[in-house]
Each structure stands twice: as C-alpha cells, then as structure tokens.
Amino acid sequence: MRILALDTATAACTVAVTDGEELLAELTLQVPRAHSTRLMPLVAQALEESGTAPSDLDLIAVGIGPGSFTGLRIGLATAKGLAFALRTPCVGVSTLRALAYGTGAASGLVVSMLDAKRGQVYAGIYAAGGREADRWDELLPPSHLSVDELAERIHTLRVERGDAGRPVILCGDAARRYADALALGEAAQVAPPGALLPRAWAVARVGEAQAQRGEQVEPDALAPLYLRKSEAETLWEARKSTSTQ
C-alpha cells in the first residue's frame, strides 16, 4: 500500500511516502508558524523523490492532533483537498499515538506529551509493541491534563502492570521540560531528538494498520482532535459573558 502521510500538529512539518514497510521519502522541517507555506512544497518534493505519481497513492494518512489549532487546520485542509482531488481514501491518525510508535520501543510504557501551556499537557500513554503498529495498546487515550495528573496516571499504570522496574520513555515537545516533574527518577528516559516530534513515516505505519482494520474515511469525515477550546474561543466567550452581565 503506497501512502502519503503528513503531520502539522506541532512545530514539525513532516511529510513521507511509504510503500508497506519501505520508506520511500521523508521530509521534515521544524520551522514554527510556516506550515502554510512549507507543506505543499514538501508534499510535491516527497512525491517526486519517491517516484510516486499522485494517482499511484492508495491512502492519505494525516495527523489529527491534538496540537496546534492553526497547524491542524492546515494539515487537515491539505489532506482533504488532495483526497478529494485524487479520489483517494484517507485516515486520521492520533499524533500522540504516532509519536509513541516513532520511538521504536519494544516494551514498557511510552508517554507522549505535548505542551498545552500553563503546566498542562496533551498526553497519551501506550504499551510499546515494537515494529508492529497494531500491537501498541493505548492505556490512556489522548487527554488534556495537568502534569501532576499525568504523573499520577503513570504511577498507577506502572503499579497495575508490574512495570515499576522498567524505564518509561517520554516523547513529545514537553518531554524534556516536564521529565523531572513526573517523579520517575532514573526510570525516565527522554527519547532522542529525532523522536521527540512527530515523524510522517510513523503516521504512515499507524495509518496503514488502521486502514487494514477498515478505518478509512471519506475526506469530509476527517476532523481534528481538539481537547480544549482555542485561546481565541475562550477570550470570545469571556467577553460575551461580561457583556451580558
């Protein structure tokens, strides 16, 4: 299955073309607030360098977040437009799940955590499953919670699973910042730089596993995974509430 995959939920703008387990091309830029101008050129370059005509694509996989509201809108709009134009099925992939899978961990817990500001994170916890994407169990679905709450969830899962002696791999743009606050001691292992932000090859592998389970959707069914209201929405509601008092 030849797949075009992309993710723009974080500071990374990443695009890949895969064919089964073979990575044909991957391009990743970490240029904040430039996704709108960089994404389509990266898509075109990835297709060209992989020798893939748009009509050759069997699936488009796109990261649906959680993450940057603006970034998600750009990525999803691009994926929808391509899928409509090419009449290609698509699949939405949790950015947190793809992050965890991208660490390549074979066992133990992997915690994906993206900075949601003010001491809060978007997080998911996964039981590592190695190379097979469908062997990764989701123990905590994508959640918006405080770092202290995340620490409690991790502690509870380690006790329940008997994993107290195993390392816990942390990935995502909040991993380094909050590693100590999770109170894991020497068990905390921050993923290497290449696995801290989403990679499109991982989105492709997770997306392919979902497609094999029949989870493809029509382009208009793709939707971002928002776990909280945007700052603009929050401010608007606060002003509206004040004006009606």
Side-chain angles (χ1 to χ4, degrees), residues 28-218:
T28 301
L29 291 177
Q30 189 172 338
V31 185
R33 295 179 294 279
H35 294 353
S36 61
T37 58
R38 300 300 185 96
L39 180 55
M40 277 307 299
L42 289 181
V43 169
Q45 186 177 352
L47 290 173
E48 180 180 358
E49 294 190 3
S50 66
T52 301
S55 58
D56 293 335
L57 294 173
D58 300 303
L59 182 73
I60 294 175
V62 57
I64 60 172
S68 160
F69 287 80
T70 300
L72 285 172
R73 285 193 289 268
I74 293 168
L76 284 166
T78 300
K80 286 182 178 183
L82 289 169
F84 272 124
L86 300 172
R87 297 182 179 179
T88 302
C90 47
V91 64
V93 175
S94 162
T95 296
L96 295 173
R97 179 181 281 274
L99 259 172
Y101 177 75
T103 66
S107 62
L109 297 183
V110 180
V111 181
S112 299
M113 44 197 302
L114 298 175
D115 194 358
K117 311 300 182 184
R118 301 176 183 175
Q120 297 181 323
V121 292
Y122 301 125
I125 303 177
Y126 303 87
R131 292 176 58 184
E132 300 300 324
D134 56 2
R135 292 181 58 189
W136 286 68
D137 293 329
E138 186 175 71
L139 305 178
L140 174 69
S143 304
H144 177 216
L145 65 177
S146 71
V147 175
D148 289 342
E149 289 172 328
L150 177 59
E152 290 181 10
R153 299 291 185 91
I154 296 171
H155 174 73
T156 299
L157 283 170
R158 295 183 81 203
V159 171
E160 291 176 348
R161 292 169 50 85
D163 284 344
R166 292 186 177 185
V168 178
I169 297 177
L170 310 176
C171 57
D173 61 16
R176 287 175 178 162
R177 180 174 183 180
Y178 293 120
D180 291 341
L182 295 177
L184 292 167
E186 294 182 356
Q189 292 188 2
V190 177
L196 274 178
L197 291 178
R199 295 281 298 274
W201 71 266
V203 174
R205 295 294 294 138
V206 174
E208 183 171 11
Q210 292 180 206
Q212 290 172 347
R213 295 195 298 268
E215 297 178 10
Q216 304 100 318
V217 297
E218 294 298 319

